[in-house]
């Protein structure tokens, strides 16, 4: 599994580009490292992200759709955890506010309801943005590691497959 302190599997430039490609704002074209698919600028001898020699790993003209899907799936995993914290916190806040309304009588009950609801919203947002972000990031990395290993195995098996076996049958 990736160490959260180590360099990320994909560069921030690639992750940002993947989001823009999915949104239709950028084309999936350019010059990318053949190992980590980091966008390359200028004539480099090695990748600025993974450090691999580009003469050995080569370059590609577009990011494979499977890599774009890996990045999108990672972001989805992260968002799922953050949203769980946010909505779970809001649910607890609503339950607490309703309990305050029922247990405290008169105007104090209404004041407690409003105070718990407003204050709880900020506590829920704080939980989602701190604990939820950290857990979501780790959960996203764990899934990405598993998906990346499977992708690399497929990529390496396709690269080693003889050209004759890839030809259409009955040719």
């Amino acid at each position: 599994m990736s160490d959260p302190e180590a360099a990320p599997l994909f560069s921030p430039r690639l992750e940002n580009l993947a989001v823009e490609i999915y949104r239709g704002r950028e084309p999936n074209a350019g010059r990318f490292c053949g190992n980590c698919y980091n966008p390359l600028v200028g004539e480099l001898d090695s990748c600025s992200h993974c450090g691999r020699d580009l003469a050995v790993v080569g370059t590609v003209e577009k990011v494979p759709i499977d890599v774009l899907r890996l990045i999108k799936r990672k972001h989805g995993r992260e968002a799922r955890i953050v949203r769980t914290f946010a909505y779970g916190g809001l649910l607890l806040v609503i339950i607490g506010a309703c309990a305050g309304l029922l247990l405290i009588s008169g105007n104090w009950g209404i004041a407690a309801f409003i105070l718990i609801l407003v204050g709880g919203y900020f506590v829920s947002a704080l939980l989602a943005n701190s604990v939820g972000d950290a857990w979501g990031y780790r959960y996203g990395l764990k899934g990405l590691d598993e998906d990346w290993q499977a992708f690399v195995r497929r990529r390496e098996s396709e690269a080693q497959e003889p050209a004759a076996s890839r030809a259409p049958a009955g040719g």
Side-chain angles (χ1 to χ4, degrees):
M1 186 167 124
S2 289
D3 178 9
E5 303 300 319
L9 180 61
F10 297 124
S11 71
R13 290 183 64 217
L14 176 59
E15 290 209 29
N16 292 336
L17 179 63
V19 169
E20 294 301 309
I21 289 170
Y22 264 106
R23 290 180 178 166
R25 296 179 184 161
E26 291 287 335
N28 185 4
R31 185 168 172 252
F32 304 93
C33 172
N35 178 55
C36 69
Y37 305 104
N38 180 49
L40 302 172
V41 178
E43 295 298 318
L44 302 172
D45 294 331
S46 63
C47 175
S48 58
H49 180 69
C50 70
R52 303 281 300 268
D53 185 1
L54 294 175
V56 174
V57 298
T59 61
V60 294
E61 293 180 358
K62 59 194 285 188
V63 179
I65 191 70
D66 289 338
V67 172
L68 295 174
R69 288 180 182 142
L70 291 178
I71 293 170
K72 188 172 186 177
R73 213 170 12 247
K74 174 187 175 265
H75 291 169
R77 286 183 184 111
E78 292 170 349
R80 189 176 316 126
I81 297 298
V82 172
R83 287 185 192 121
T84 299
F85 270 87
Y87 290 126
L90 285 176
L91 178 64
L92 291 176
V93 166
I94 290 170
I95 291 170
C98 290
L101 185 60
L102 293 173
L103 298 176
I104 301 172
S105 62
N107 290 337
W108 290 111
I110 295 170
F113 175 79
I114 293 171
L115 182 64
I116 293 171
L117 203 56
V118 171
Y121 169 78
F122 289 108
V123 171
S124 174
L126 182 67
L127 277 175
N129 290 326
S130 59
V131 178
D133 275 352
W135 283 10
Y137 180 73
R138 286 192 302 271
Y139 182 67
L141 281 182
K142 180 180 181 239
L144 178 63
D145 283 342
E146 295 165 1
D147 292 347
W148 177 253
Q149 296 305 322
F151 171 77
V152 169
R153 283 192 299 273
R154 274 194 321 271
R155 179 176 71 179
E156 289 173 354
S157 69
E158 289 172 2
Q160 295 173 0
E161 192 175 309
S165 67
R166 287 190 304 242

